[in-house]
Amino acid sequence: MSYSSIAAGHALLANRVHSDSIRQALSVIPHRPSVVWFEDGVDRQGEFHLDALLRTSRSSRVAVARSLDDPYVINYTSGTTGAPKGAIQSERSNYVAGKNTAIISDAQREDVFFHWEPFYHGAAWKVVMVALQRGLKIHMVERFSASRLWNEIARADATKLHYLGGLVNIILAQPQAESDCNNKVSIAWGGACPRESWRKFEEHFDLKVREGYGLTEGQMFTHIKLRGVIGSIGTPIEQLDSWIADEQGKQVGPGVSERSC
């Protein structure tokens, strides 16, 4: 077994805890990639484990041609309108997403971001990108818990909190506690905050809500709103233009109603 055994093809890096599901999925595809397990163990045909590959590898001085627009990661959509779908993103889109996430959250080097998102979701990686770009800290928990949220935030000295839509109402529905305001969170940032809950959330937890609009395929945020009308998606980010089009796809200007289109 050596690195050359897989160098010419495609490889899938995975944890053995998912081995049954991965082997089942690979059994029905025509061009099976090699599998590299992160953990040691018993390897089947076409499988390797990372430690063994590293022990038998050799250094290479051949530069790999890369572009910022090459496929970089697969993040899954939230599944709002159907089953979650894997969205292929580039390194450039992740960099831009981190940059605009930092803007909407007013990220500062001394911040501690409370990180509860699962890593198959794009928001989790955007928080990581912000930390890498701004040099700030992340406090990660195993999973989101509305009942433990503010106690966990207080213990972490967290200063920024990300939310997703209905999460705001779930948090507001929890029994009131002293820890609700006994924390350092200054900004909660996210998308689809219910209009009727916006001010309640700000006042009850003594923070500011920063809203934006985006989607996994659109590098997190396409629009951000730092101030203004509650319920507005804001204005386009620096890297994008946006407009309203009629049924023929033609751009329309301000004041044009749906009926007149």
Side-chain angles (χ1 to χ4, degrees), residues 197-220:
S197 302
W198 188 303
R199 293 302 185 210
K200 293 179 184 177
F201 195 65
E202 287 186 326
E203 292 168 3
H204 185 79
F205 296 108
D206 191 23
L207 50 77
K208 289 293 183 183
V209 169
R210 289 278 190 90
E211 186 84 342
Y213 171 81
L215 62 168
T216 308
E217 302 90 328
Q219 59 80 52
M220 189 70 169

PDB file of all heavy atoms in Angstrom, residues 197-220:
ATOM      1  N   SER A 197     -41.309  39.431  16.616  1.00  0.00           N
ATOM      2  CA  SER A 197     -40.415  39.054  17.717  1.00  0.00           C
ATOM      3  C   SER A 197     -39.140  39.877  17.756  1.00  0.00           C
ATOM      4  O   SER A 197     -38.373  39.776  18.719  1.00  0.00           O
ATOM      5  CB  SER A 197     -40.053  37.569  17.601  1.00  0.00           C
ATOM      6  OG  SER A 197     -41.202  36.759  17.613  1.00  0.00           O
ATOM      7  N   TRP A 198     -38.925  40.670  16.734  1.00  0.00           N
ATOM      8  CA  TRP A 198     -37.655  41.401  16.590  1.00  0.00           C
ATOM      9  C   TRP A 198     -37.343  42.262  17.831  1.00  0.00           C
ATOM     10  O   TRP A 198     -36.325  42.095  18.494  1.00  0.00           O
ATOM     11  CB  TRP A 198     -37.711  42.268  15.338  1.00  0.00           C
ATOM     12  CG  TRP A 198     -36.443  42.936  14.922  1.00  0.00           C
ATOM     13  CD1 TRP A 198     -35.676  43.782  15.667  1.00  0.00           C
ATOM     14  CD2 TRP A 198     -35.795  42.823  13.646  1.00  0.00           C
ATOM     15  NE1 TRP A 198     -34.600  44.230  14.936  1.00  0.00           N
ATOM     16  CE2 TRP A 198     -34.646  43.652  13.697  1.00  0.00           C
ATOM     17  CE3 TRP A 198     -36.076  42.140  12.475  1.00  0.00           C
ATOM     18  CZ2 TRP A 198     -33.786  43.801  12.609  1.00  0.00           C
ATOM     19  CZ3 TRP A 198     -35.223  42.288  11.391  1.00  0.00           C
ATOM     20  CH2 TRP A 198     -34.089  43.096  11.462  1.00  0.00           C
ATOM     21  N   ARG A 199     -38.250  43.203  18.132  1.00  0.00           N
ATOM     22  CA  ARG A 199     -38.031  44.115  19.261  1.00  0.00           C
ATOM     23  C   ARG A 199     -38.094  43.377  20.595  1.00  0.00           C
ATOM     24  O   ARG A 199     -37.352  43.705  21.529  1.00  0.00           O
ATOM     25  CB  ARG A 199     -39.052  45.248  19.233  1.00  0.00           C
ATOM     26  CG  ARG A 199     -38.907  46.204  18.059  1.00  0.00           C
ATOM     27  CD  ARG A 199     -37.538  46.854  18.022  1.00  0.00           C
ATOM     28  NE  ARG A 199     -37.434  47.856  16.969  1.00  0.00           N
ATOM     29  CZ  ARG A 199     -36.308  48.152  16.332  1.00  0.00           C
ATOM     30  NH1 ARG A 199     -35.188  47.526  16.651  1.00  0.00           N
ATOM     31  NH2 ARG A 199     -36.292  49.075  15.381  1.00  0.00           N
ATOM     32  N   LYS A 200     -38.960  42.372  20.688  1.00  0.00           N
ATOM     33  CA  LYS A 200     -39.043  41.597  21.925  1.00  0.00           C
ATOM     34  C   LYS A 200     -37.702  40.930  22.220  1.00  0.00           C
ATOM     35  O   LYS A 200     -37.238  40.923  23.363  1.00  0.00           O
ATOM     36  CB  LYS A 200     -40.127  40.523  21.804  1.00  0.00           C
ATOM     37  CG  LYS A 200     -41.538  41.041  21.711  1.00  0.00           C
ATOM     38  CD  LYS A 200     -42.514  39.883  21.570  1.00  0.00           C
ATOM     39  CE  LYS A 200     -43.939  40.369  21.387  1.00  0.00           C
ATOM     40  NZ  LYS A 200     -44.879  39.229  21.178  1.00  0.00           N
ATOM     41  N   PHE A 201     -37.100  40.397  21.205  1.00  0.00           N
ATOM     42  CA  PHE A 201     -35.825  39.714  21.363  1.00  0.00           C
ATOM     43  C   PHE A 201     -34.740  40.696  21.790  1.00  0.00           C
ATOM     44  O   PHE A 201     -33.948  40.418  22.699  1.00  0.00           O
ATOM     45  CB  PHE A 201     -35.456  39.038  20.034  1.00  0.00           C
ATOM     46  CG  PHE A 201     -34.365  38.015  20.149  1.00  0.00           C
ATOM     47  CD1 PHE A 201     -34.548  36.856  20.882  1.00  0.00           C
ATOM     48  CD2 PHE A 201     -33.150  38.188  19.515  1.00  0.00           C
ATOM     49  CE1 PHE A 201     -33.559  35.898  20.988  1.00  0.00           C
ATOM     50  CE2 PHE A 201     -32.137  37.248  19.606  1.00  0.00           C
ATOM     51  CZ  PHE A 201     -32.343  36.092  20.351  1.00  0.00           C
ATOM     52  N   GLU A 202     -34.720  41.861  21.137  1.00  0.00           N
ATOM     53  CA  GLU A 202     -33.721  42.877  21.484  1.00  0.00           C
ATOM     54  C   GLU A 202     -33.883  43.346  22.929  1.00  0.00           C
ATOM     55  O   GLU A 202     -32.903  43.441  23.675  1.00  0.00           O
ATOM     56  CB  GLU A 202     -33.844  44.064  20.532  1.00  0.00           C
ATOM     57  CG  GLU A 202     -33.345  43.797  19.124  1.00  0.00           C
ATOM     58  CD  GLU A 202     -33.345  45.053  18.261  1.00  0.00           C
ATOM     59  OE1 GLU A 202     -34.254  45.910  18.446  1.00  0.00           O
ATOM     60  OE2 GLU A 202     -32.457  45.186  17.411  1.00  0.00           O
ATOM     61  N   GLU A 203     -35.114  43.657  23.299  1.00  0.00           N
ATOM     62  CA  GLU A 203     -35.358  44.246  24.616  1.00  0.00           C
ATOM     63  C   GLU A 203     -35.179  43.226  25.737  1.00  0.00           C
ATOM     64  O   GLU A 203     -34.601  43.539  26.786  1.00  0.00           O
ATOM     65  CB  GLU A 203     -36.772  44.841  24.657  1.00  0.00           C
ATOM     66  CG  GLU A 203     -36.924  46.053  23.742  1.00  0.00           C
ATOM     67  CD  GLU A 203     -38.373  46.472  23.553  1.00  0.00           C
ATOM     68  OE1 GLU A 203     -39.257  45.838  24.198  1.00  0.00           O
ATOM     69  OE2 GLU A 203     -38.633  47.398  22.762  1.00  0.00           O
ATOM     70  N   HIS A 204     -35.652  42.009  25.519  1.00  0.00           N
ATOM     71  CA  HIS A 204     -35.581  41.018  26.590  1.00  0.00           C
ATOM     72  C   HIS A 204     -34.148  40.597  26.886  1.00  0.00           C
ATOM     73  O   HIS A 204     -33.786  40.386  28.050  1.00  0.00           O
ATOM     74  CB  HIS A 204     -36.406  39.789  26.223  1.00  0.00           C
ATOM     75  CG  HIS A 204     -36.482  38.775  27.320  1.00  0.00           C
ATOM     76  ND1 HIS A 204     -37.321  38.908  28.402  1.00  0.00           N
ATOM     77  CD2 HIS A 204     -35.803  37.611  27.517  1.00  0.00           C
ATOM     78  CE1 HIS A 204     -37.160  37.878  29.217  1.00  0.00           C
ATOM     79  NE2 HIS A 204     -36.243  37.079  28.709  1.00  0.00           N
ATOM     80  N   PHE A 205     -33.325  40.487  25.843  1.00  0.00           N
ATOM     81  CA  PHE A 205     -31.961  39.998  26.039  1.00  0.00           C
ATOM     82  C   PHE A 205     -30.914  41.109  25.936  1.00  0.00           C
ATOM     83  O   PHE A 205     -29.714  40.827  25.950  1.00  0.00           O
ATOM     84  CB  PHE A 205     -31.652  38.887  25.038  1.00  0.00           C
ATOM     85  CG  PHE A 205     -32.517  37.667  25.219  1.00  0.00           C
ATOM     86  CD1 PHE A 205     -33.514  37.376  24.303  1.00  0.00           C
ATOM     87  CD2 PHE A 205     -32.349  36.833  26.312  1.00  0.00           C
ATOM     88  CE1 PHE A 205     -34.320  36.256  24.470  1.00  0.00           C
ATOM     89  CE2 PHE A 205     -33.150  35.721  26.494  1.00  0.00           C
ATOM     90  CZ  PHE A 205     -34.143  35.428  25.571  1.00  0.00           C
ATOM     91  N   ASP A 206     -31.394  42.356  25.811  1.00  0.00           N
ATOM     92  CA  ASP A 206     -30.511  43.523  25.813  1.00  0.00           C
ATOM     93  C   ASP A 206     -29.410  43.384  24.761  1.00  0.00           C
ATOM     94  O   ASP A 206     -28.206  43.409  25.055  1.00  0.00           O
ATOM     95  CB  ASP A 206     -29.887  43.720  27.193  1.00  0.00           C
ATOM     96  CG  ASP A 206     -29.174  45.061  27.330  1.00  0.00           C
ATOM     97  OD1 ASP A 206     -29.525  45.982  26.570  1.00  0.00           O
ATOM     98  OD2 ASP A 206     -28.266  45.173  28.161  1.00  0.00           O
ATOM     99  N   LEU A 207     -29.822  43.244  23.497  1.00  0.00           N
ATOM    100  CA  LEU A 207     -28.888  43.108  22.383  1.00  0.00           C
ATOM    101  C   LEU A 207     -29.497  43.753  21.143  1.00  0.00           C
ATOM    102  O   LEU A 207     -30.630  44.220  21.164  1.00  0.00           O
ATOM    103  CB  LEU A 207     -28.566  41.634  22.129  1.00  0.00           C
ATOM    104  CG  LEU A 207     -29.727  40.636  22.003  1.00  0.00           C
ATOM    105  CD1 LEU A 207     -30.431  40.699  20.648  1.00  0.00           C
ATOM    106  CD2 LEU A 207     -29.247  39.209  22.259  1.00  0.00           C
ATOM    107  N   LYS A 208     -28.724  43.783  20.065  1.00  0.00           N
ATOM    108  CA  LYS A 208     -29.193  44.288  18.785  1.00  0.00           C
ATOM    109  C   LYS A 208     -29.288  43.147  17.787  1.00  0.00           C
ATOM    110  O   LYS A 208     -28.415  42.282  17.736  1.00  0.00           O
ATOM    111  CB  LYS A 208     -28.252  45.368  18.238  1.00  0.00           C
ATOM    112  CG  LYS A 208     -28.304  46.687  18.992  1.00  0.00           C
ATOM    113  CD  LYS A 208     -29.657  47.362  18.809  1.00  0.00           C
ATOM    114  CE  LYS A 208     -29.685  48.724  19.507  1.00  0.00           C
ATOM    115  NZ  LYS A 208     -31.025  49.356  19.387  1.00  0.00           N
ATOM    116  N   VAL A 209     -30.359  43.152  17.002  1.00  0.00           N
ATOM    117  CA  VAL A 209     -30.532  42.159  15.943  1.00  0.00           C
ATOM    118  C   VAL A 209     -29.995  42.731  14.640  1.00  0.00           C
ATOM    119  O   VAL A 209     -30.342  43.844  14.245  1.00  0.00           O
ATOM    120  CB  VAL A 209     -32.018  41.774  15.777  1.00  0.00           C
ATOM    121  CG1 VAL A 209     -32.225  40.948  14.507  1.00  0.00           C
ATOM    122  CG2 VAL A 209     -32.504  41.004  16.996  1.00  0.00           C
ATOM    123  N   ARG A 210     -29.121  41.976  13.985  1.00  0.00           N
ATOM    124  CA  ARG A 210     -28.601  42.351  12.667  1.00  0.00           C
ATOM    125  C   ARG A 210     -29.096  41.307  11.666  1.00  0.00           C
ATOM    126  O   ARG A 210     -28.814  40.120  11.799  1.00  0.00           O
ATOM    127  CB  ARG A 210     -27.071  42.370  12.683  1.00  0.00           C
ATOM    128  CG  ARG A 210     -26.461  43.532  13.474  1.00  0.00           C
ATOM    129  CD  ARG A 210     -26.429  44.794  12.625  1.00  0.00           C
ATOM    130  NE  ARG A 210     -25.653  45.851  13.252  1.00  0.00           N
ATOM    131  CZ  ARG A 210     -24.347  46.039  13.074  1.00  0.00           C
ATOM    132  NH1 ARG A 210     -23.656  45.210  12.306  1.00  0.00           N
ATOM    133  NH2 ARG A 210     -23.713  47.028  13.661  1.00  0.00           N
ATOM    134  N   GLU A 211     -29.831  41.778  10.679  1.00  0.00           N
ATOM    135  CA  GLU A 211     -30.507  40.865   9.762  1.00  0.00           C
ATOM    136  C   GLU A 211     -29.855  40.870   8.375  1.00  0.00           C
ATOM    137  O   GLU A 211     -29.319  41.888   7.928  1.00  0.00           O
ATOM    138  CB  GLU A 211     -31.978  41.275   9.624  1.00  0.00           C
ATOM    139  CG  GLU A 211     -32.831  40.346   8.814  1.00  0.00           C
ATOM    140  CD  GLU A 211     -33.378  39.164   9.600  1.00  0.00           C
ATOM    141  OE1 GLU A 211     -32.829  38.880  10.688  1.00  0.00           O
ATOM    142  OE2 GLU A 211     -34.328  38.530   9.137  1.00  0.00           O
ATOM    143  N   GLY A 212     -29.915  39.752   7.707  1.00  0.00           N
ATOM    144  CA  GLY A 212     -29.449  39.652   6.331  1.00  0.00           C
ATOM    145  C   GLY A 212     -30.263  38.632   5.578  1.00  0.00           C
ATOM    146  O   GLY A 212     -31.132  37.954   6.143  1.00  0.00           O
ATOM    147  N   TYR A 213     -29.997  38.534   4.298  1.00  0.00           N
ATOM    148  CA  TYR A 213     -30.645  37.530   3.477  1.00  0.00           C
ATOM    149  C   TYR A 213     -29.581  36.811   2.664  1.00  0.00           C
ATOM    150  O   TYR A 213     -28.627  37.425   2.186  1.00  0.00           O
ATOM    151  CB  TYR A 213     -31.665  38.153   2.517  1.00  0.00           C
ATOM    152  CG  TYR A 213     -32.199  37.151   1.509  1.00  0.00           C
ATOM    153  CD1 TYR A 213     -33.209  36.261   1.858  1.00  0.00           C
ATOM    154  CD2 TYR A 213     -31.656  37.074   0.233  1.00  0.00           C
ATOM    155  CE1 TYR A 213     -33.664  35.320   0.956  1.00  0.00           C
ATOM    156  CE2 TYR A 213     -32.108  36.132  -0.680  1.00  0.00           C
ATOM    157  CZ  TYR A 213     -33.116  35.258  -0.314  1.00  0.00           C
ATOM    158  OH  TYR A 213     -33.564  34.315  -1.215  1.00  0.00           O
ATOM    159  N   GLY A 214     -29.756  35.529   2.508  1.00  0.00           N
ATOM    160  CA  GLY A 214     -28.807  34.778   1.698  1.00  0.00           C
ATOM    161  C   GLY A 214     -29.229  33.341   1.573  1.00  0.00           C
ATOM    162  O   GLY A 214     -30.321  32.944   1.998  1.00  0.00           O
ATOM    163  N   LEU A 215     -28.379  32.546   0.986  1.00  0.00           N
ATOM    164  CA  LEU A 215     -28.633  31.131   0.807  1.00  0.00           C
ATOM    165  C   LEU A 215     -27.301  30.423   0.635  1.00  0.00           C
ATOM    166  O   LEU A 215     -26.291  31.039   0.321  1.00  0.00           O
ATOM    167  CB  LEU A 215     -29.545  30.867  -0.388  1.00  0.00           C
ATOM    168  CG  LEU A 215     -29.066  31.273  -1.786  1.00  0.00           C
ATOM    169  CD1 LEU A 215     -29.994  30.654  -2.816  1.00  0.00           C
ATOM    170  CD2 LEU A 215     -29.072  32.773  -1.978  1.00  0.00           C
ATOM    171  N   THR A 216     -27.314  29.132   0.891  1.00  0.00           N
ATOM    172  CA  THR A 216     -26.071  28.374   0.862  1.00  0.00           C
ATOM    173  C   THR A 216     -25.364  28.526  -0.471  1.00  0.00           C
ATOM    174  O   THR A 216     -24.145  28.702  -0.532  1.00  0.00           O
ATOM    175  CB  THR A 216     -26.362  26.887   1.137  1.00  0.00           C
ATOM    176  OG1 THR A 216     -27.127  26.783   2.338  1.00  0.00           O
ATOM    177  CG2 THR A 216     -25.077  26.098   1.297  1.00  0.00           C
ATOM    178  N   GLU A 217     -26.129  28.461  -1.561  1.00  0.00           N
ATOM    179  CA  GLU A 217     -25.525  28.578  -2.886  1.00  0.00           C
ATOM    180  C   GLU A 217     -25.010  29.987  -3.162  1.00  0.00           C
ATOM    181  O   GLU A 217     -24.227  30.192  -4.084  1.00  0.00           O
ATOM    182  CB  GLU A 217     -26.559  28.209  -3.972  1.00  0.00           C
ATOM    183  CG  GLU A 217     -27.144  26.818  -3.844  1.00  0.00           C
ATOM    184  CD  GLU A 217     -28.395  26.768  -2.988  1.00  0.00           C
ATOM    185  OE1 GLU A 217     -28.511  27.579  -2.034  1.00  0.00           O
ATOM    186  OE2 GLU A 217     -29.261  25.922  -3.275  1.00  0.00           O
ATOM    187  N   GLY A 218     -25.468  30.955  -2.380  1.00  0.00           N
ATOM    188  CA  GLY A 218     -25.098  32.352  -2.588  1.00  0.00           C
ATOM    189  C   GLY A 218     -24.082  32.850  -1.589  1.00  0.00           C
ATOM    190  O   GLY A 218     -24.138  34.009  -1.209  1.00  0.00           O
ATOM    191  N   GLN A 219     -23.192  31.984  -1.124  1.00  0.00           N
ATOM    192  CA  GLN A 219     -22.128  32.323  -0.167  1.00  0.00           C
ATOM    193  C   GLN A 219     -22.639  33.047   1.069  1.00  0.00           C
ATOM    194  O   GLN A 219     -22.121  34.066   1.474  1.00  0.00           O
ATOM    195  CB  GLN A 219     -20.967  33.069  -0.846  1.00  0.00           C
ATOM    196  CG  GLN A 219     -21.259  34.381  -1.554  1.00  0.00           C
ATOM    197  CD  GLN A 219     -21.359  35.554  -0.608  1.00  0.00           C
ATOM    198  OE1 GLN A 219     -20.489  35.793   0.206  1.00  0.00           O
ATOM    199  NE2 GLN A 219     -22.443  36.287  -0.716  1.00  0.00           N
ATOM    200  N   MET A 220     -23.694  32.463   1.663  1.00  0.00           N
ATOM    201  CA  MET A 220     -24.248  32.912   2.947  1.00  0.00           C
ATOM    202  C   MET A 220     -25.118  34.163   2.814  1.00  0.00           C
ATOM    203  O   MET A 220     -26.323  34.078   2.831  1.00  0.00           O
ATOM    204  CB  MET A 220     -23.138  33.134   3.977  1.00  0.00           C
ATOM    205  CG  MET A 220     -23.640  33.395   5.380  1.00  0.00           C
ATOM    206  SD  MET A 220     -24.358  31.928   6.123  1.00  0.00           S
ATOM    207  CE  MET A 220     -24.526  32.443   7.813  1.00  0.00           C
TER     208      MET A 220
END
